[in-house]
Amino acid sequence: MWRKATLRIADDMAAVSCAIVPAHPWVYGLGQAAESGNYLSPTNTLGYLAKKLVGSGGQGDVIVFMIAENTHDAFMAGLRSLAAVFPAPAFTQVSRMAQAAVELSTVKMQLPAKVSNALPAAMPLSVPTNRAALNAQRVAKAQIAAAAGSSIAGMQAQIADFVQARSSMLTAISDALETLKGARAEAWVFTHSGDRTTAAVELLKNIPQATAVHTAAMMFTGDSLGVLEKMIDESGRITRP
């Protein structure tokens, strides 16, 4: 069933295997393109996902995360918060596409800038052959340094530097994890376990924000998605192990 919930990274997250189906205004043949932007309703979004479920059939778990808003600003805010908690390619790409669409619309309303005769800004040159040559030089230097050997004092200094660097790296990883666990995002969520054809029927019941014009969703299907379901933070609701 559908409900509004808070998504967060659970303390005991683990690896999970599943199929992922994104649905957003830039999926070919799904969204509606207009001069003012790309639009997609929750009804069309979920109809698209439901067809995928009916076509696959079988048994398993189904989870859907969805952002649906009536204004572009609210849609962008929802996408940003969801991408911060769950930076899946579909959500990050949609966020970039939506932002790019706004910027393009703004540029169209501006007068074209004068053509500049100045040279472009300098930037690192990177082509495959150039990178291969540079990498070969680095390997050669490393081999020479290794062959030269080092004193006991030098080795002790290197070990001390390694220990300090490792400690700093572990601290940074721990801090990043705590920051990630503190992130929250509000989204519409749907969960179902069992027959996927039944899931398709339930998916289309009581569609939230049915009149919204900006929608993005991601559907996950797999044999067991209890690990992913732990991201759905609902007080009083017991999630499966």
Side-chain angles (χ1 to χ4, degrees):
M1 66 174 185
W2 283 104
R3 67 270 190 195
K4 194 70 174 285
T6 299
L7 301 180
R8 65 176 182 83
I9 297 297
D11 293 331
D12 54 348
M13 290 294 291
V16 61
S17 296
C18 61
I20 303 174
V21 181
H24 53 75
W26 290 272
V27 171
Y28 180 75
L30 182 56
Q32 179 182 356
E35 187 174 348
S36 56
N38 291 62
Y39 302 93
L40 179 63
S41 70
T43 301
N44 290 339
T45 299
L46 301 181
Y48 171 80
L49 296 178
K51 288 181 181 178
K52 296 287 186 181
L53 289 173
V54 173
S56 66
Q59 301 280 325
D61 289 352
V62 178
I63 295 179
V64 179
F65 296 158
M66 183 174 75
I67 299 292
E69 299 290 351
N70 284 303
T71 69
H72 186 271
D73 289 345
F75 182 57
M76 286 298 300
L79 282 175
R80 281 193 294 267
S81 62
L82 184 54
V85 175
F86 197 76
F91 291 134
T92 55
Q93 289 170 3
V94 171
S95 182
R96 288 196 298 267
M97 290 175 179
Q99 184 60 42
V102 172
E103 293 172 354
L104 179 60
S105 178
T106 301
V107 169
K108 287 181 178 179
M109 294 187 293
Q110 296 174 344
L111 293 175
K114 294 182 179 179
V115 177
S116 173
N117 292 322
L119 293 171
M123 61 182 297
L125 175 63
S126 180
V127 294
T129 51
N130 187 40
R131 291 196 298 269
L134 290 174
N135 289 334
Q137 292 176 14
R138 294 190 184 104
V139 170
K141 289 181 180 179
Q143 289 175 336
I144 293 173
S150 62
S151 64
I152 297 298
M155 293 179 63
Q156 290 176 336
Q158 291 176 4
I159 292 174
D161 290 342
F162 171 77
V163 171
Q164 183 177 1
R166 179 178 180 275
S167 178
S168 298
M169 182 180 66
L170 292 176
T171 299
I173 293 173
S174 178
D175 292 344
L177 178 58
E178 290 304 315
T179 299
L180 182 60
K181 287 166 60 176
R184 298 286 188 276
E186 297 293 322
W188 291 100
V189 301
F190 172 89
T191 57
H192 180 89
S193 183
D195 180 66
R196 290 198 180 111
T197 300
T198 303
V201 174
E202 294 298 321
L203 191 68
L204 299 177
K205 289 183 179 179
N206 301 316
I207 296 176
Q209 298 288 97
T211 60
V213 294
H214 300 285
T215 310
M218 184 177 293
M219 180 172 70
F220 309 88
T221 61
D223 293 334
S224 178
L225 300 180
V227 170
L228 188 60
E229 193 174 350
K230 291 179 180 180
M231 289 187 63
I232 305 172
D233 186 5
E234 297 175 287
S235 58
R237 183 173 182 270
I238 300 175
T239 55
R240 292 171 295 142

